[in-house]
Amino acid sequence: MNAKKILLLFVLLTGFAATKAIAASNVKITFRFKFINIEAGYDHISRMKVYVDGNLAGTSPEKKESELNTVVVEVSKGFHTIRAVVESLYEGNWEEHIAANDYSIDCLYERSMKYTKKNTNIIIDFDINVGTVIKKK
């Protein structure tokens, strides 16, 4: 092998190792959410948008509120502010499912904390009769 090929191989392997190291230093946050006690005629199409430090990091698929939905985002280890909000499709427009928009409950998760381990699971029940119930595992 000539010197150019050896150098190219070294650069490729070093880049691969660096990519794996960066991925290993990230934390996956999985949001699983569902709605409970939906009134007849109000099973809107919805989605969840997750913001990390003010930047959009992920969006769930669009599903009816009665269906279980999931969105996964990755953050670097360390302190972050996470905001996850459900949007509902109402009369052709996406709007945040919050009391300020005339919804009965705020479908919202907001936390600032230090993320240090992998696979943080946040399970949320949006109970129209009770409010938002967050179960973190």
Side-chain angles (χ1 to χ4, degrees):
M1 238 188 229
N2 66 26
K4 285 184 180 180
K5 287 183 181 179
I6 292 172
L7 181 60
L8 178 62
L9 182 60
F10 175 76
V11 169
L12 290 174
L13 289 175
T14 303
F16 178 73
T19 301
K20 287 191 66 105
I22 290 169
S25 67
N26 286 344
V27 176
K28 284 187 182 182
I29 304 172
T30 302
F31 287 89
R32 289 184 179 82
F33 62 98
K34 63 182 175 180
F35 282 74
I36 299 171
N37 295 314
I38 302 167
E39 292 184 34
Y42 291 94
D43 191 6
H44 301 295
I45 299 295
S46 67
R47 64 186 180 195
M48 178 180 278
K49 286 191 170 181
V50 180
Y51 298 85
V52 177
D53 301 325
N55 299 307
L56 182 63
T59 305
S60 73
E62 298 171 7
K63 293 185 177 184
K64 285 191 169 195
E65 291 175 348
S66 59
E67 297 178 64
L68 179 65
N69 207 337
T70 302
V71 59
V72 179
V73 298
E74 282 193 33
V75 298
S76 60
K77 288 182 181 178
F79 190 85
H80 296 284
T81 299
I82 307 293
R83 181 177 191 267
V85 62
V86 172
E87 294 182 334
S88 294
L89 185 60
Y90 181 70
E91 295 183 355
N93 296 308
W94 287 103
E95 58 186 17
E96 290 187 348
H97 193 297
I98 55 175
N101 289 337
D102 293 326
Y103 288 93
S104 56
I105 65 170
D106 287 330
C107 296
L108 183 63
Y109 171 93
E110 291 181 297
R111 295 288 186 275
S112 294
M113 63 181 279
K114 186 174 184 179
Y115 291 87
T116 58
K117 64 178 187 173
K118 289 188 178 187
N119 301 330
T120 299
N121 293 299
I122 301 168
I123 301 166
I124 306 174
D125 291 341
F126 296 113
D127 189 328
I128 301 303
N129 294 337
V130 176
T132 298
V133 179
I134 299 169
K135 306 168 190 172
K136 186 176 175 186
K137 291 187 175 183

